[in-house]
Amino acid sequence: MGPFSRETWAQRLGTFRASPSAFMAGPEGEDLGRDLLSDLRSEKLSEPMKVALLALSLEYPAQLWPDAPAAEAAATSLLDTLVLLPPRPSALRRPLLLAATTALVAGGALSPASGASGRLLPLLLGLASGRDLGRSFGPASEQRPLQATAWECLRELESCRPGLLGGCLGLLRALLGREGPAQPLSLLLALALRNALVIQARAGAGLQGLLTAGDSSMEGGPWNWTLAEEGEVHLQPQAPSWPAAEEGECGLAALELSPEEARELRATVAQLLDSSYLLTPVAQAQLLWLLGWALRGLRGQPPVLFKPQLVRLLGTAQLTLLHAMLALKAAFGEALFTAQDEALLLRRLTLAAQHPALPLPIHLFYLHCLLNFPENWPLGPTDEEAAPLLLGSQLCRGLLPSLLNEPMALLARLHLLCLLCVEDEEKEEKGQDRSPRHYLEELLAGLRQRAALDDGPRALATLCFQASYLVAHCLAGQPVVLTPLTQGLAQLYRTRPALAPHFVDLLDQVGPELQEPLRVALRQEVVSRPGREEALRWHLQMLARVADGDAQSATLSFLRAAATHCKDWGLQQALLRVCRALLRAGVGGGLADLLQALARQLEDPDGQDHARLYYILLAHLAGPKLGVALGPSLAAPALASSLVAENQGFAAALMVQEAPAPVRLSVGPRRAEGPVPVLRLQVEVLEPVYSLELRFRVEGQVYAPLGAVHMPCLCPGRPTRPLLLPLQPRRPAPAKLTVRALYTTPSGLTCHTHLPPLLVTFADLFLPFPRPPEGAQLDFFEELWGSCLPKGTESRLWCPLGPGGLEALVSHHLESFVVVAQPPVSYLVAIRLPPDSRLLLRLEAAQADGVPVALRTDDWAVLPLAGDYLRGLSADG
Amino acid sequence: MAQRAVWLISHEPGTPLCGVVKFSRRYPTVEKRAKVFNGASYVPVPEDGPFLKALLFELRLLDDEKDFLESRDSCSHINKTSIYGLRVGSEELWPVVAFLKNGMIYACVPLVEQTLSPRPPLISISGISQGFELLFGVQDFLSSGQKTDSELNTKLSQLSDLLLQTCPFGTLLDANLHNSLDSINFASVTHLQKQPAWRTGTYKGKPQVSISITEKVNSMQYDKQEIADTWQVVGVVTCKCDLEGSMPNVTISLSLPTNGSPLQDILVHPCVTSLDSAILTSSSIDAMDDSAFSGPYKFPLTPPLESFNLCYYTSQVPVPPILGFYQVKEEEVQLKITVNLKLHESVKNSFEFCEAHIPFYNRGPITHVEYKASFGQLEVFREKSLLVWIIGQKFPKSMEISLSGTVTFGAKNHEKQSFDQICIGGTAYLKLHFRILDYTLTGCYVDQHSVQVFASGKPKISTHRKLISSDYYIWNSKAPAPVTYGSLLLNLSLQDNF
């Protein structure tokens, strides 16, 4: 297709941006990447339009060129376009460099084998280091922006492929001292240095003169991928300098630097820090993070190098700089910050968290930093928010919440106040009435007052409950706080019952310390009402959550009074939900009367049915089962309709459920004894079950039907005795047993499951003959031998022997059935096969590699089974 | 340190989506790293549509507040920073840095260079502060000088190019977008080695230095026994240094008269090269004593080309400039109000303007006012339920003025009268608005002769000062008023003293 017009492209770009996935799924999706590349060279399109096309490729390369070959081709095409640009000024050179870099990285095409990579890397390094690339590469006026762009491309490549510029460290270092912009060079050098240190530490190598290689290191020859190849495997989640995030993971300690390397490294870092003032604040912060990462844990590299910068940085209001200082603090602790330094940093942080000149999001972030402050000697666990030791209530004074704060600020500051109250409790006040705790109470009262406003926005109510939750969470162990909180909330409910959903939510979320008293207070609050007000809906919703076995008569009389006012379906359902809650709680007598009355009284047939159902359940089910039947539905998704959910709940509780197997059965080693063959089943318990019943069915009816096996209780980890399963064969043949299990779960559900079938082998049926008197064995055997014919049959076969010879074979498999033994060469074996068959074996004149076996049986059908069995023995060894 | 994506979203309540994505930029190379670093916990950046919806929901900016929604209103869903987790489909995108300012939502997703489960603490993520800085930079760029919609749209259209300069791969190079705009315009300026990255280009022309000090004073006055009044001065020093040379050195000193109030909580611009430790440690957190450092406050620096805020400070002056009381008594359908204001004798009695705004919240429109003012005149805004007492340029010789009157209200109309969550029941305030030129409350000034400039040519130095009121509240002393912890504590210490 020919080049598109400007309008077509504008439209295409618009549609694409509105929803890239929809566009790519459409008819034009497939061609977009190709069209874009070809139209970049079209002479009909204006430069701004081409810039727009390139901007798109900078954001969506994965959509345009989804795989590595496509990305490689795209990068090649972009580089070609760049080279073909006429030598006049053009706005396309910078975005083309960015686009080629992006395409290679995003498409995963950056590699030593990639031709485009081989072209791009030297081009970027040449541009960046200011080497003359010939007049063909743009006019002089464009050199500086191109140089800056090249530095950024290199930095991004190094970020995505650590070690890529490891070979250039010497060059970068040499350039740093010369003319040229300090910022991009400093940042790239710091990044490449950090990556090289990490990679070399993992490889257990030193810096190997990388820093001192000078600027001739990369000239001419092919790109040095050594370090990048090693680094590639290591672009893994790497924990930054935060100690808590990195327990024992710091690999740099393994790095062995020679004294000269250490000196060079120190000199480089010092040089970078000295010129850091010339960088923009955000870039200074990046430099500090990188160098902090690079030096942390490195032996022989004292962090004092950072010290000269700290005072200057401490004075600024810059978020990034203060944040980077905190990172250094976390990385080096006392080695860089003395106790006094720590105190000063903390004070600066405290004042920044409330400085009127800074915006709210910054205040909030600083407050977060305060509560996660990396202390030199933390007292508590480091992964919990806590007020640092040095941050006394005097310092925090300005950080305490007030009703005038924005909601987020109020919550953040409230958290701090709670932490102070925790500390305060320890050094209980000296009769002051303005302790933090009293202030907290007043604040909560103010929040409740605002939440109580009838026309107030929901956000105000939410804020009040969030604050209550936070306080209950932080001060769970302090009844002096929780008691007034409970009373205040009960009063809030009295004033504005429409907040019932918030109360239910609060009850669901808080711990028992507040939950229990609040539940009781709210129940009291509801049942003391006449039960006929506008707010009945809310009262019923509330009661469904807070009703329990206590205060039955008050609750029931409230419900009786309410029932007469429940005219519409919604209210009736709400009423029935309370009944249901009471059923679950095990409320008996009075409730039955109420339910019967409701079944008559409610106008809605659905309501009547439900009342009747509850009544029947109450009358027929035992307490625990009732609890489960009415409990939250296990049959998963919460549907909007309470009825459906409820029915699912019943179905789950009252019917037998299919479930995955709670036990695993296997056939254990058998003992040939007794009148019938007995399978010894090993039971492995996977989850606790009660009243387990195992049912077996014999396929093909080879054996008589098997009785079920019962076990009252099984628990994982507790040893179980083997299950004995007597078999009554109708024919002496192997068979498959299908197994089903029926059991009750700890939560009271009845479940059913199919277990994998069990196989009964031919040998499982073997029984010995009664032992003949001493001395008569041979006669006994010969008599059996003779009796097999003519009804039965005789056969001979060769049974190969393993290294243990005949003796081992017999002792492994036939020990119990030997009648006459002349080890190691001759055994006479007699096997009884229920119901009434026999199998006789003569193993005589054994040789080194085998033994001839003569066998007789009185049952023709046994012969093939016996043959398979004997051949199987030799295969087993 | 990098950002995975940036958005600008205009908040448009009342429209179906309640907002429009005005600008977005994704960084696929950073996204590539996120996938590796986050591993199994990686959640891709969504397309604009789903992002907009999820963000507005999380920021409570959708119009559907009516019903309780657990995912939004649950008490355990607590955000204490401007960093959110957004539910997108079945996954949660975290961390999203976002804030609303003047109807525009600024948002970005910083790269986290480790796994996201368990969530690392925010403080350990370098991209968070970088993200904030980027968003504030964009906000600063959009709001500077912008008045009309078309100006805003022009700036929005420049943004794509600007980010290509200052944040080409998601790693921010300079939060000051104006710098980049300039460097696009002066691309040919040669770059010298020792030139700071934040001072792109050079100035050519007459050397001049302009320094202005603006102090804002806020106050909370209660006229109550148990609650102490509070007030605070917040100052900002703004400079513009038009000087030749690539790295001119300037030292600016702020001075105080002998009875001046010490400056505290000083935050300086990063171009300041060194700081006296006395400046660093003087803070309002500590109890004041006579030994407090009182200047001169010296700031050696290399100025950027554009106008910049050299420093911010606060100060605790001994008395509020205007002390007042305000009493409101409810008498059936009307309110009886009494106001008394007194200008402190030490304050310059020459205002650019001075007004007291007396709003009445959660009531109907004003239907009738009867008043007596000892000075100035009263304007009545009936529909807004607002009285404005225009005091003018000067307080009378007595320095004390008063206003009393009765106000009658009509029926409350929920749509027209705005709801206020503070002024409930009798709680009410009046707010003072005033401005005094060529004056600072702390006494802080810049002596022209103390400004040292090490650059070619003798620059012309101009200095300016002004005092502005800001959040200057006088609360109805006959009803409860919101207090801060400080005003309770201060009172205690006062009681201890007497």
Side-chain angles (χ1 to χ4, degrees):
Chain A
M1 204 185 293
F4 292 90
S5 70
R6 190 180 170 283
E7 290 70 28
T8 323
W9 266 119
Q11 194 200 351
R12 279 181 107 185
L13 295 187
T15 328
F16 180 89
R17 281 190 178 276
S19 174
S21 58
F23 187 94
M24 295 312 288
E28 289 188 86
E30 208 178 315
D31 298 333
L32 186 65
R34 205 190 50 214
D35 295 346
L36 190 149
L37 289 176
S38 69
D39 280 14
L40 279 177
R41 296 187 205 169
S42 147
E43 288 179 7
K44 290 189 183 146
L45 278 190
S46 64
E47 264 200 353
M49 192 33 119
K50 288 182 182 173
V51 172
L53 293 186
L54 286 170
L56 190 78
S57 79
L58 285 176
E59 286 193 69
Y60 298 97
Q63 282 80 353
L64 298 174
W65 309 297
D67 50 24
E72 165 82 16
T76 308
S77 166
L78 289 166
L79 286 173
D80 289 342
T81 310
L82 180 66
V83 175
L84 292 174
L85 283 179
R88 61 170 186 268
S90 161
L92 292 181
R93 287 192 180 87
R94 297 183 54 248
L96 276 170
L97 281 176
L98 296 173
T101 306
T102 305
L104 277 180
V105 171
L110 185 68
S111 79
S114 137
S117 307
R119 285 172 65 191
L120 180 66
L121 286 168
L123 173 64
L124 290 175
L125 195 62
L127 279 171
S129 58
R131 224 176 294 156
D132 188 20
L133 290 171
R135 267 172 32 95
S136 66
F137 211 87
S141 66
E142 254 182 79
Q143 290 309 318
R144 200 174 71 79
L146 276 178
Q147 185 182 28
T149 306
W151 282 123
E152 285 316 306
C153 290
L154 286 172
R155 180 148 75 113
E156 193 61 13
L157 290 168
E158 171 70 25
S159 298
C160 294
R161 194 66 186 272
L164 188 66
L165 286 146
C168 308
L169 278 172
L171 170 67
L172 295 176
R173 181 150 180 240
L175 284 174
L176 189 64
R178 296 187 205 158
E179 202 161 282
Q183 175 162 319
L185 189 54
S186 299
L187 291 175
L188 180 60
L189 178 56
L191 177 67
L193 186 63
R194 195 271 302 240
N195 287 344
L197 285 170
V198 170
I199 294 168
Q200 293 299 75
R202 284 183 175 146
L207 274 177
Q208 298 174 338
L210 287 170
L211 272 175
T212 43
D215 56 354
S216 60
S217 53
M218 288 300 285
E219 244 151 68
W223 193 266
N224 180 356
W225 287 81
T226 328
L227 221 50
E229 301 274 84
E230 283 172 37
E232 185 182 34
V233 252
H234 297 303
L235 183 64
Q236 291 160 352
Q238 44 180 300
S241 62
W242 232 262
E246 203 191 355
E247 281 313 314
E249 220 255 292
C250 180
L252 289 181
L255 195 63
E256 290 289 347
L257 293 182
S258 69
E260 193 199 347
E261 281 177 337
R263 203 164 44 243
E264 279 302 319
L265 179 62
R266 204 155 43 236
T268 311
V269 172
Q271 200 181 353
L272 283 170
L273 286 171
D274 282 348
S275 57
S276 68
Y277 169 73
L278 298 175
L279 276 52
T280 62
V282 289
Q284 285 183 44
Q286 290 163 22
L287 188 77
L288 291 174
W289 278 89
L290 286 172
L291 293 180
W293 272 329
L295 294 195
R296 177 174 140 68
L298 204 57
R299 268 179 280 163
Q301 295 293 333
V304 288
L305 286 174
F306 291 101
K307 212 133 203 182
Q309 306 295 326
L310 296 185
V311 172
R312 177 173 70 80
L313 300 176
L314 260 180
T316 75
Q318 285 285 327
L319 176 65
T320 43
L321 291 175
L322 214 46
H323 194 193
M325 282 194 56
L326 288 168
L328 292 178
K329 175 82 175 62
F332 300 110
E334 221 184 359
L336 185 56
F337 289 81
T338 63
Q340 285 88 343
D341 296 340
E342 184 176 52
L344 181 60
L345 178 57
L346 208 51
R347 297 167 76 81
R348 291 299 291 185
L349 201 55
T350 310
L351 88 86
Q354 55 186 303
H355 202 288
L358 299 178
L360 178 68
I362 301 281
H363 285 169
L364 294 176
F365 185 68
Y366 281 143
L367 198 51
H368 169 88
C369 292
L370 266 181
L371 295 187
N372 291 274
F373 187 77
E375 294 182 86
N376 284 349
W377 299 106
L379 274 186
T382 46
D383 54 347
E384 251 173 46
E385 296 206 322
L389 202 60
L390 291 171
L391 188 77
S393 52
Q394 166 76 10
L395 277 183
C396 290
R397 215 175 50 197
L399 282 176
L400 294 186
S402 132
L403 286 178
L404 296 166
N405 293 141
E406 295 276 321
M408 269 201 293
L410 187 134
L411 289 171
R413 290 169 161 226
L414 180 66
H415 188 191
L416 180 65
L417 176 58
C418 288
L419 293 173
L420 288 181
C421 286
V422 174
E423 281 175 21
D424 222 50
E425 193 207 18
E426 288 146 22
K427 42 183 177 185
E428 187 49 38
E429 319 89 41
K430 325 128 212 168
Q432 283 186 10
D433 58 350
R434 288 302 186 188
S435 68
R437 183 162 57 73
H438 283 98
Y439 185 68
L440 175 70
E441 268 166 36
E442 279 172 28
L443 184 80
L444 289 172
L447 285 170
R448 286 193 294 267
Q449 192 194 5
R450 297 198 310 194
L453 293 177
D454 271 337
D455 1 349
R458 183 164 300 278
L460 276 186
T462 305
L463 181 62
C464 170
F465 283 90
Q466 286 171 330
S468 306
Y469 170 80
L470 199 59
V471 170
H473 183 73
C474 297
L475 301 172
Q478 296 204 15
V480 275
V481 176
L482 295 189
T483 309
L485 178 60
T486 309
Q487 288 162 354
L489 285 170
Q491 155 127 43
L492 173 61
Y493 181 74
R494 197 179 312 148
T495 334
R496 199 178 171 200
L499 296 179
H502 289 274
F503 279 97
V504 172
D505 172 60
L506 181 67
L507 284 170
D508 288 343
Q509 307 288 342
V510 289
E513 296 84 358
L514 180 65
Q515 194 184 52
E516 259 326 285
L518 181 59
R519 199 175 57 80
V520 172
L522 288 172
R523 188 190 59 213
Q524 218 108 38
E525 206 55 58
V526 175
V527 300
S528 59
R529 301 301 183 98
R532 56 164 179 274
E533 1 173 2
E534 269 176 52
L536 187 57
R537 173 162 89 97
W538 303 121
H539 293 327
L540 290 171
Q541 184 180 4
M542 197 70 248
L543 202 53
R545 175 65 180 80
V546 299
D548 62 2
D550 300 336
Q552 288 184 22
S553 64
T555 310
L556 289 172
S557 64
F558 171 82
L559 289 176
R560 267 192 296 275
T564 51
H565 302 281
C566 289
K567 295 296 178 202
D568 70 47
W569 183 85
L571 280 177
Q572 290 178 14
Q573 290 303 316
L575 180 69
L576 285 163
R577 267 195 290 277
V578 183
C579 295
R580 188 188 148 117
L582 289 172
L583 271 179
R584 283 189 67 193
V587 173
L591 182 60
D593 296 342
L594 175 67
L595 286 170
Q596 271 187 313
L598 288 179
R600 284 193 305 273
Q601 181 187 338
L602 293 181
E603 287 163 17
D604 187 74
D606 180 48
Q608 288 177 9
D609 285 351
H610 259 81
R612 214 168 285 131
L613 172 65
Y614 289 157
Y615 175 72
I616 293 170
L617 289 172
L618 178 63
H620 289 86
L621 288 184
K625 191 81 180 169
L626 191 62
V628 177
L630 295 164
S633 164
L634 296 172
L639 288 165
S641 157
S642 66
L643 288 185
V644 176
E646 182 159 85
N647 285 342
Q648 282 177 341
F650 288 143
L654 301 180
M655 288 162 60
V656 176
Q657 307 287 305
E658 270 312 318
V663 295
R664 206 175 285 152
L665 292 182
S666 57
V667 179
R670 70 194 193 92
R671 287 182 206 156
E673 55 190 22
V676 291
V678 175
L679 279 189
R680 296 172 68 85
L681 298 181
Q682 312 274 19
V683 185
E684 188 189 344
V685 185
L686 304 175
E687 44 192 276
V689 293
Y690 298 98
S691 315
L692 175 68
E693 178 178 305
L694 293 171
R695 294 179 183 172
F696 303 91
R697 198 175 64 82
V698 187
E699 280 189 6
Q701 301 187 335
V702 192
Y703 313 144
L706 300 170
V709 177
H710 295 273
M711 275 168 291
C713 169
L714 291 175
C715 278
R718 216 179 283 169
T720 53
R721 270 185 296 172
L723 279 182
L724 302 182
L725 188 66
L727 302 174
Q728 290 181 314
R730 286 173 170 155
R731 290 190 278 120
K736 193 193 256 183
L737 305 181
T738 56
V739 192
R740 289 182 301 152
L742 200 64
Y743 59 95
T744 308
T745 63
S747 57
L749 289 182
T750 306
C751 295
H752 169 255
T753 185
H754 284 272
L755 298 176
L758 296 171
L759 295 177
V760 184
T761 62
F762 181 53
D764 288 330
L765 303 176
F766 291 4
L767 289 173
F769 278 94
R771 193 153 285 280
E774 201 61 36
Q777 290 101 331
L778 188 60
D779 292 346
F780 175 71
F781 181 82
E782 291 297 351
E783 193 181 322
L784 287 175
W785 185 260
S787 70
C788 287
L789 296 178
K791 190 180 127 204
T793 182
E794 177 171 343
S795 176
R796 284 174 183 276
L797 51 87
W798 177 257
C799 181
L801 290 176
L806 182 59
E807 205 173 357
L809 180 107
V810 169
S811 76
H812 271 143
H813 300 285
L814 298 167
E815 183 85 72
S816 325
F817 314 107
V818 173
V819 182
V820 180
Q822 287 174 347
V825 291
S826 167
Y827 296 88
L828 304 180
V829 176
I831 299 166
R832 196 158 69 81
L833 292 166
D836 52 5
S837 309
R838 60 190 63 161
L839 172 63
L840 304 170
L841 307 174
R842 281 177 184 273
L843 304 111
E844 287 172 318
Q847 295 163 24
D849 57 342
V851 57
V853 183
L855 67 87
R856 272 191 189 183
T857 169
D858 60 349
D859 185 347
W860 275 87
V862 168
L863 198 58
L865 296 170
D868 289 347
Y869 172 68
L870 286 171
R871 277 188 288 274
L873 287 189
S874 61
D876 288 354
Chain B
M1 279 179 269
Q3 307 301 313
R4 293 163 60 187
V6 188
W7 289 267
L8 287 186
I9 295 169
S10 70
H11 176 223
E12 300 178 1
T15 60
L17 293 175
C18 293
V20 177
V21 176
K22 290 284 185 187
F23 175 83
S24 74
R25 172 80 160 93
R26 284 164 176 71
Y27 293 102
T29 52
V30 184
E31 194 65 20
K32 186 106 181 157
R33 271 180 276 160
K35 208 181 274 181
V36 178
F37 286 134
N38 299 163
S41 54
Y42 167 75
V43 176
V45 166
E47 292 186 359
D48 288 356
F51 181 83
L52 170 77
K53 210 170 139 197
L55 183 66
L56 291 178
F57 179 81
E58 190 58 37
L59 294 178
R60 310 182 72 101
L61 294 175
L62 295 174
D63 291 340
D64 60 344
E65 276 244 308
K66 217 171 103 246
D67 292 317
F68 175 85
L69 268 184
E70 199 188 325
S71 54
R72 177 192 63 201
D73 298 320
S74 173
C75 60
S76 59
H77 186 76
I78 293 179
N79 242 331
K80 292 180 290 179
T81 56
S82 309
I83 294 138
Y84 303 86
L86 301 191
R87 197 136 276 288
V88 184
S90 60
E91 295 170 308
E92 193 176 28
L93 181 69
W94 182 89
V96 179
V97 178
F99 57 85
L100 173 72
K101 184 82 189 177
N102 297 334
M104 190 70 88
I105 304 165
Y106 300 80
C108 64
V109 183
L111 170 71
V112 182
E113 300 181 34
Q114 65 194 84
T115 176
L116 297 177
S117 73
R119 278 187 187 177
L122 293 174
I123 189 177
S124 69
I125 304 170
S126 59
I128 297 276
S129 52
Q130 296 274 332
F132 269 122
E133 215 67 67
L134 169 62
L135 297 181
F136 284 124
V138 173
Q139 183 208 328
D140 193 40
F141 170 71
L142 288 188
S143 58
S144 66
Q146 167 226 326
K147 296 287 180 293
T148 65
D149 272 2
S150 70
E151 280 173 349
L152 176 67
N153 285 333
T154 314
K155 292 206 160 182
L156 279 171
S157 67
Q158 289 173 322
L159 209 52
S160 178
D161 264 356
L162 282 178
L163 286 191
L164 214 54
Q165 304 251 345
T166 62
C167 196
F169 285 110
T171 308
L172 187 60
L173 305 179
D174 189 356
N176 188 340
L177 303 193
H178 300 285
N179 277 349
S180 302
L181 196 61
D182 294 343
S183 79
I184 291 177
N185 297 341
F186 307 105
S188 61
V189 177
T190 51
H191 201 100
L192 300 166
Q193 187 216 340
K194 273 288 176 187
Q195 184 152 23
W198 34 266
R199 187 180 161 88
T200 47
T202 46
Y203 172 78
K204 291 259 180 285
K206 258 177 79 178
Q208 49 189 358
V209 173
S210 156
I211 305 164
S212 59
I213 304 175
T214 305
E215 284 187 354
K216 289 184 177 179
V217 56
N218 59 48
S219 180
M220 291 283 230
Q221 298 180 19
Y222 300 98
D223 186 30
K224 282 186 184 177
Q225 274 290 313
E226 70 278 21
I227 308 174
D229 295 346
T230 58
W231 58 92
Q232 189 184 32
V233 175
V234 184
V236 55
V237 181
T238 311
C239 301
K240 176 99 168 68
C241 303
D242 296 327
L243 300 169
E244 293 191 340
S246 65
M247 234 182 125
N249 282 320
V250 179
T251 299
I252 294 173
S253 307
L254 302 180
S255 309
L256 289 176
T258 45
N259 59 349
S261 307
L263 310 187
Q264 301 170 321
D265 302 344
I266 299 169
L267 303 176
V268 299
H269 191 271
C271 73
V272 175
T273 46
S274 66
L275 263 187
D276 192 309
S277 66
I279 294 181
L280 208 55
T281 50
S282 72
S283 112
S284 63
I285 297 168
D286 304 294
M288 283 272 286
D289 57 33
D290 297 337
S291 65
F293 179 67
S294 59
Y297 305 85
K298 280 187 188 301
F299 302 103
L301 56 108
T302 299
L305 285 175
E306 72 283 349
S307 166
F308 65 101
N309 293 332
L310 170 65
C311 72
Y312 303 97
Y313 61 84
T314 71
S315 180
Q316 192 57 59
V317 293
V319 287
I322 299 177
L323 187 67
F325 73 75
Y326 175 42
Q327 292 180 348
V328 185
K329 281 184 216 147
E330 186 137 22
E331 288 175 354
E332 291 171 20
V333 289
Q334 59 184 20
L335 291 184
K336 194 163 180 306
I337 61 167
T338 317
V339 184
N340 204 321
L341 300 176
K342 186 169 191 292
L343 181 68
H344 195 268
E345 58 194 10
S346 66
V347 178
K348 179 176 171 184
N349 188 4
S350 166
F351 292 80
E352 191 179 36
F353 64 86
C354 180
E355 297 172 354
H357 289 219
I358 311 172
F360 300 97
Y361 290 105
N362 307 329
R363 295 175 188 277
I366 296 173
T367 51
H368 184 69
V369 179
E370 273 177 39
Y371 75 97
K372 203 178 115 204
S374 73
F375 194 78
Q377 64 266 20
L378 195 71
E379 281 188 22
V380 182
F381 297 85
R382 290 171 188 275
E383 284 304 317
K384 286 188 191 163
S385 313
L386 170 70
L387 302 179
V388 176
W389 182 15
I390 297 171
I391 298 158
Q393 273 73 42
K394 251 178 149 37
F395 272 62
K397 273 227 171 85
S398 67
M399 299 285 187
E400 201 165 350
I401 58 177
S402 63
L403 168 78
S404 58
T406 55
V407 191
T408 317
F409 298 91
K412 187 149 81 169
N413 179 337
H414 281 284
E415 270 142 46
K416 279 193 183 159
Q417 263 71 37
S418 60
F419 174 79
D420 188 90
Q421 55 190 40
I422 300 289
C423 294
I424 301 160
T427 303
Y429 63 79
L430 77 78
K431 193 174 175 186
L432 287 181
H433 297 259
F434 56 83
R435 182 184 295 179
I436 307 177
L437 296 181
D438 201 21
Y439 177 73
T440 53
L441 211 50
T442 56
C444 178
Y445 67 98
V446 178
D447 177 5
Q448 296 193 2
H449 305 292
S450 73
V451 178
Q452 297 171 324
V453 177
F454 307 96
S456 55
K458 188 170 164 53
K460 178 174 170 258
I461 293 167
S462 56
T463 62
H464 315 270
R465 298 196 294 172
K466 64 178 172 242
L467 173 71
I468 306 174
S469 72
S470 144
D471 295 336
Y472 205 105
Y473 292 99
I474 300 172
W475 292 90
N476 172 17
S477 53
K478 299 288 176 197
V483 291
T484 58
Y485 192 61
S487 57
L488 299 176
L489 272 193
L490 272 178
N491 201 43
L492 265 188
S493 55
L494 284 178
Q495 280 172 359
D496 289 347
N497 289 345
F498 295 105

